[in-house]
Amino acid sequence: MHNEKYKICLIILLSVFYLSCSSYKSENANELFIGNGAEVQDLDPATVSGVTEHRILSALFEGLTSLDPKTLEPIPAVAEKWNISDDKKIYTFYIRENAYWSNGDPVVSQDFINSWERILSPKLSSEYAYLLFCIKNAKKYYEGQIKNFSDVGVGAIDEHTLKVELEYPTAYFLTMQVHNIWYPIHKKTVEKYGVINERNNPWTHTGNHVSNGPYQLEEWTPNKIIRVKKNPYYWNKNNVSIENISFYPIDNQMTEERLFRIGYLDLTSTIPLRKLEYYKINKPKSLVLHPYIGVYYYRINVKHPVLSNPLVRKALAYSIDRKQITEFVLKGGEQPALYYVPDGIGIYKSPQDIVYNPVYAKQLLAEAGYPDGKNFPTIEILFNTSEAHKLIAESIQRMWKKHLNIDVKLLNQDWKVYLSSMNQLDYQIARSAWIADFLDPINFLECFLSYSGNNRTGWENKQYDILVEQAYREADETKRNELMFQAEKILLDELPIIPIYFYTWKMLISSRVENFNPNVLGYIRWQELKIKNSSN
């Protein structure tokens, strides 16, 4: 009966999708159709934290610099050029005089200053505010130690010259600018629809949204579509080939794959695990399988009475057979994560501290006061809607029952509710992941600073904070790597998270799409994509 209901719902969904897609395609062949996973949290670059949102925001907005998708080197964007002082602490950006917002207003230096002041407002509670702490006095302003934002190291020399002074040399500063937290905002628009430093401001809705990227928002109908159109005021509009991009929130991977297979999607967010072998054998040109600097892990609420015990967390971690998950569940070239920071970032090497050892895990649980799982309460794994998340959770559920004799319940929530649960620490164990924002190990380690908005575990360790903050300031690469190594050892010893596997980038792509360049950051420059045989 449930299968029949599912089939009926799927047929209805496909029919609705077919009508919308076919009408768009008949009117304009120069349009891209994207499966984007879950419904987005918002379209405000300061208040979102997921890949789902970043994919769309990177079409709507543009920072001072961008990245070459092939090399991942910084390239000019809103800033046509920049100078760096000899001590590597002062950056002077020269903003293009032909850079405009989607309403025709010029993009000026103050737009970036307004955005960063908003992000550093504690009232906004931006999860990524800590990424700006490399700016001189930004952390002090965020924490209330200084009250005047003019004391923060950003200033407009003139309308098109922006000066940024850093606390310490930051080698990855230019590459960070591709992250949505650094994007400018159009302050008048934000203030027109609400208070500038409050969340859920309707400036992001259809008809209100103003952006400065290659595309502008045409339609956002929640749980149905986000459609963007070419921004006529974008400084490089003549080199933007695709007129429209439609992003569809489809969190059922099988539905997304069916829509791709019958020609209604050009790119998917992922691929169902059960379909992976089929595409490898039968349609390899449609399959993107590429190295991806990211780690899948379980986040633990250390405020939970039982999970507050590090011995319990270690028992859970050491009783997971990661190789079984990567080889028999995922099958996409993923690697078991025996540590937290993925390989492939410079010369940094993580400590290998977590191995599959169920005998040791059982001893740890007994030492924690639960011999053979006796009196251990039922715990819950939270995950957002996804076939892969469910299969992984079921595998770990069986492992913990087999090796530790403990019972686990599974809880599935949609993306927005799931994020809210984590932000409020309203969970016990939650599926999580971190995909690199830029290629430096610090990007992974800074997530678990006590003041990081992306921590969301309740875990704090002063020595960890000190080591990471020292690594920020250390110029010598060998010494810096040693500081990060010691910080990661603390993380792997106390285990507020349990690393599971390292990602590969898996998705499906239509033969219509040209100039797509996969890379280890999963970064897509939408303005560079082209559609085969389109009129442009």
Side-chain angles (χ1 to χ4, degrees), residues 106 358 476:
D476 183 274

mmCIF file of all heavy atoms in Angstrom, residues 106 358 476:
data_model
loop_
_atom_site.group_PDB
_atom_site.id
_atom_site.type_symbol
_atom_site.label_atom_id
_atom_site.label_comp_id
_atom_site.label_asym_id
_atom_site.label_seq_id
_atom_site.Cartn_x
_atom_site.Cartn_y
_atom_site.Cartn_z
ATOM 1 N N PRO A 106 25.487 51.234 -8.287
ATOM 2 C CA PRO A 106 26.889 50.801 -8.357
ATOM 3 C C PRO A 106 27.299 50.013 -7.112
ATOM 4 O O PRO A 106 26.823 50.294 -6.008
ATOM 5 C CB PRO A 106 27.663 52.119 -8.455
ATOM 6 C CG PRO A 106 26.755 53.148 -7.864
ATOM 7 C CD PRO A 106 25.357 52.704 -8.182
ATOM 8 N N PRO A 358 36.424 -3.360 17.983
ATOM 9 C CA PRO A 358 35.231 -3.590 18.802
ATOM 10 C C PRO A 358 35.533 -4.146 20.201
ATOM 11 O O PRO A 358 34.770 -3.887 21.135
ATOM 12 C CB PRO A 358 34.413 -4.578 17.973
ATOM 13 C CG PRO A 358 35.366 -5.180 17.008
ATOM 14 C CD PRO A 358 36.408 -4.148 16.742
ATOM 15 N N ASP A 476 55.654 30.017 10.109
ATOM 16 C CA ASP A 476 56.465 28.869 9.727
ATOM 17 C C ASP A 476 55.560 27.655 9.486
ATOM 18 O O ASP A 476 54.828 27.233 10.379
ATOM 19 C CB ASP A 476 57.475 28.547 10.838
ATOM 20 C CG ASP A 476 58.396 27.395 10.471
ATOM 21 O OD1 ASP A 476 57.995 26.227 10.710
ATOM 22 O OD2 ASP A 476 59.484 27.653 9.937
#
